[in-house]
Amino acid sequence: MKKSLKNFTDRLDFWSLHPVAVTGVSGTRVLLGFVGLMYYVSQYQERNYLFGPDGVLPHEDFTAQLTGFSLYTLSASPWYFQLVYHLGIAAALAVMLGVGGRPGLVLHWALLWSVYQRQPGLLDGGDNLAYVVIPFLLLTRCYDRFSLPTGLASRLTRRLPGHLRAMSVPFHNLGVLMVAAQICLVYVVSGLYKVMGEEWQDGTALFYIMRVAEFELPGWSHLVYENDVLVVLGTYGTVAFLVYFPMGVLVPALRPWAATASICFHLSIAFFMGLTGFALTMIACDLVFLSGALDRAVLWARGRLARHLTSQADTASADPSEEGRPSGEHGARTTAPEAELV
């Protein structure tokens, strides 16, 4: 009993003193910022028609049917719409680049929620996960990696009392745990919901899904739904993967493999079904399980870059064109600029 209690307290102390998955959750921030930026840019040409006050859904009708909140309801002015829309682009870019810190992340969340509410017909499901995950990121140190160095955050942090700075680690770990729990909940609920469907039970669901006009990829989808083996394996494999994914991430040895399988699964969804925003949002959350692999990849890339720069410097210092050159020629080249300066 005492040994079990000591193991529990040791594990609790470790979680209170050592931040986990910093690189992974920083990658989550980058990718979620990219998803928001991609949404804004992809609709940019048609923004007035889709989101504008005089577009397909007029401002009065939008305000009347809105049940939540949206910054686009505050004014029907076209100038106000342009300001909010372009501010959303800037906020998404700042989050992706790691500029602005937590205030920038809050602004991005509010603007992204607002534009999603403005035109729900364009959403693919990834918005629901983004709504929940971005507030979780506010607890984490998701700006510690993959961020442009500004120095402002470190200066502000040093002004905080020591006990508040010490609380950042357990809050960070709590935020990472909430992101991991949320993605596992999405998988389990989705898998159990599919189990209740007749098409998923008889192994034909993939056939019907890939024949829907909205999700069909011309020239590719038929290669899957015309093959009975691929349809059956894809249908049952999807259900098994979704239901048992949390069990895979609970085992440290299986965690990277489960996360990698999830990334491949959603890349196939993005390719075959065109649900790019949804797929990238799910992949962003999967990165918390691949933090160790991301750390190793970053170290490898830095090592390669350092060796490349070192080899370039050695090559430049040993340039054969400089060897054997007459001293008079070299002297003329060095003295001429000095004469001009004088």
Side-chain angles (χ1 to χ4, degrees):
M1 182 66 181
K2 291 182 178 181
K3 185 176 180 180
S4 301
L5 183 61
K6 186 178 184 304
N7 290 336
F8 174 77
T9 55
D10 290 343
R11 196 174 287 269
L12 186 62
D13 289 340
F14 179 86
W15 267 70
S16 300
L17 300 174
H18 300 85
V20 299
V22 176
T23 304
V25 79
S26 298
T28 301
R29 185 212 80 235
V30 172
L31 200 49
L32 288 179
F34 174 76
V35 171
L37 182 64
M38 180 183 67
Y39 183 83
Y40 283 111
V41 173
S42 64
Q43 317 295 341
Y44 190 80
Q45 293 294 331
E46 304 294 334
R47 66 187 184 280
N48 294 314
Y49 175 73
L50 294 174
F51 309 108
D54 300 319
V56 63
L57 183 61
H59 184 267
E60 295 79 9
D61 297 338
F62 168 62
T63 305
Q65 71 179 33
L66 182 66
T67 56
F69 83 91
S70 175
L71 296 176
Y72 292 91
T73 62
L74 300 181
S75 174
S77 169
W79 290 103
Y80 175 78
F81 159 71
Q82 296 292 343
L83 175 64
V84 174
Y85 193 88
H86 287 85
L87 185 60
I89 295 176
L93 181 62
V95 169
M96 186 181 71
L97 297 178
V99 178
R102 289 178 175 85
L105 192 59
V106 172
L107 180 63
H108 170 62
W109 181 85
L111 290 167
L112 196 64
W113 177 289
S114 299
V115 76
Y116 282 162
Q117 294 296 312
R118 185 64 180 91
Q119 193 54 262
L122 298 177
L123 304 180
D124 59 6
D127 56 293
N128 294 320
L129 187 59
Y131 292 155
V132 178
V133 170
I134 291 178
F136 294 164
L137 293 181
L138 295 173
L139 299 174
T140 68
R141 297 167 58 172
C142 60
Y143 282 86
D144 283 10
R145 307 282 192 275
F146 313 130
S147 300
L148 294 179
T150 60
L152 178 62
S154 60
R155 289 195 296 269
L156 293 176
T157 302
R158 286 195 295 267
R159 294 177 179 271
L160 294 175
H163 62 278
L164 290 180
R165 293 200 301 270
M167 289 297 294
S168 66
V169 175
F171 273 118
H172 164 83
N173 291 338
L174 176 62
V176 172
L177 183 61
M178 293 169 72
V179 173
Q182 179 63 40
I183 192 67
C184 290
L185 183 64
V186 170
Y187 281 125
V188 171
V189 172
S190 177
L192 294 178
Y193 183 79
K194 287 178 173 59
V195 169
M196 295 186 294
E198 182 179 351
E199 290 81 8
W200 292 97
Q201 294 176 5
D202 59 26
T204 61
L206 195 62
F207 172 82
Y208 297 105
I209 292 173
M210 302 197 72
R211 289 179 63 87
V212 177
E214 296 180 36
F215 302 138
E216 186 175 0
L217 181 64
W220 289 90
S221 295
H222 73 93
L223 299 177
V224 178
Y225 65 69
E226 290 179 355
N227 189 309
D228 295 341
V229 176
L230 291 180
V231 168
V232 173
L233 290 179
T235 301
Y236 289 136
T238 298
V239 175
F241 168 75
L242 294 175
V243 172
Y244 291 106
F245 175 84
M247 299 180 65
V249 297
L250 286 175
V251 181
L254 297 178
R255 191 173 301 149
W257 298 102
T260 302
S262 176
I263 291 175
C264 295
F265 173 71
H266 288 102
L267 286 177
S268 66
I269 290 177
F271 179 77
F272 285 104
M273 302 179 65
L275 301 176
T276 308
F278 166 75
L280 291 180
T281 303
M282 296 294 291
I283 291 173
C285 297
D286 286 330
L287 294 181
V288 299
F289 302 114
L290 291 172
S291 187
L294 290 176
D295 281 327
R296 291 189 292 271
V298 169
L299 291 175
W300 177 85
R302 287 178 178 175
R304 293 277 297 183
L305 180 61
R307 286 194 294 270
H308 178 68
L309 295 176
T310 302
S311 63
Q312 280 190 335
D314 294 341
T315 303
S317 61
D319 190 351
S321 62
E322 296 292 335
E323 298 179 1
R325 177 174 292 174
S327 58
E329 180 184 355
H330 186 59
R333 291 190 178 184
T334 55
T335 56
E338 292 176 357
E340 292 175 0
L341 291 173
V342 173

